[in-house]
Amino acid sequence: SAPDHLLDVLTFVRAEDPQREADAMHDFYKASADAQTVADKILMATLGKKKAIGDSRSPPTVATEVVVAPKLSQWIQFTTLLQRDMRNQLRNPMVAGVRVAQQVFIASLLGIVFLRLDYSEAGLQSRQGVLAFLVMGSVFIVIDSAIHVVPQYRALFLRERGSGMYSVFSYYASLVVSDTPM
């Protein structure tokens, strides 16, 4: 069994030639029934459903039916990823607090700079400038945080994207939307 094999591997006495000892253990495992069982499980998981073709006198060949999961709609992909991203946001309250403090600081600074605007045409243009500056600042903060998050989760993204779980658009849109409230 696998636990017995593990104990055998862990309790070996150090040999003079560790490479030769490792090769001997590898060969012993390859010849065991456990290795064949693991190899069969991997083959089953890799190939999906199998059908044996041929008669009992010759070794069977394997024909596979590729089992493809139905592709989910963009909306379902987006909402699922958004829920996951929001949970990740809540797991790190320090980062969320810093982002909220950034937004409050920028809004307060702009409010102080443009505090006493009159209702003339120049005042209206100044208000439009303040709003544009607030929107651009918010967008850049969100994009900056998304740029720093993507390398952290790159391996996860590549694995899930490679298996066809979601599209790049759904992933990136969920990241941007989950960062927007901050």
Side-chain angles (χ1 to χ4, degrees):
S1 70
D4 292 333
H5 177 72
L6 180 63
L7 287 175
D8 290 342
V9 169
L10 293 177
T11 58
F12 75 95
V13 178
R14 272 278 196 234
E16 293 294 321
D17 187 8
Q19 182 62 43
R20 188 176 56 157
E21 183 71 24
D23 290 341
M25 285 190 298
H26 179 259
D27 293 339
F28 177 76
Y29 176 74
K30 275 180 67 175
S32 71
D34 292 332
Q36 186 60 41
T37 303
V38 170
D40 289 343
K41 286 180 181 179
I42 291 171
L43 184 65
M44 291 288 288
T46 304
L47 297 178
K49 295 180 181 178
K50 294 175 17 171
K51 290 182 180 176
I53 302 173
D55 59 355
S56 60
R57 291 170 288 177
S58 64
T61 58
V62 176
T64 62
E65 293 177 11
V66 178
V67 179
V68 179
K71 185 171 170 110
L72 299 174
S73 70
Q74 290 284 333
W75 177 250
I76 293 174
Q77 292 175 18
F78 171 75
T79 55
T80 304
L81 289 168
L82 183 62
Q83 289 172 355
R84 182 176 77 178
D85 292 340
M86 292 303 280
R87 276 192 224 110
N88 285 338
Q89 294 271 342
L90 294 174
R91 287 183 183 140
N92 197 351
M94 175 75 90
V95 173
V98 168
R99 289 183 183 158
V100 168
Q102 275 181 326
Q103 294 291 347
V104 169
F105 175 75
I106 290 172
S108 301
L109 184 66
L110 287 173
I112 290 170
V113 168
F114 295 100
L115 182 63
R116 298 213 168 120
L117 293 176
D118 57 356
Y119 294 103
S120 65
E121 187 175 334
L124 180 63
Q125 289 175 348
S126 295
R127 283 186 181 87
Q128 287 176 341
V130 169
L131 290 175
F133 190 76
L134 277 173
V135 169
M136 285 190 312
S138 298
V139 167
F140 285 132
I141 288 173
V142 168
I143 290 174
D144 182 57
S145 66
I147 288 172
H148 293 294
V149 167
V150 169
Q152 288 177 328
Y153 296 107
R154 183 176 187 270
L156 175 70
F157 168 73
L158 290 175
R159 184 180 68 229
E160 291 176 348
R161 172 70 178 112
S163 66
M165 291 177 70
Y166 49 77
S167 67
V168 176
F169 174 78
S170 297
Y171 178 75
Y172 187 72
S174 69
L175 274 180
V176 170
V177 171
S178 69
D179 280 345
T180 299
M182 303 298 165

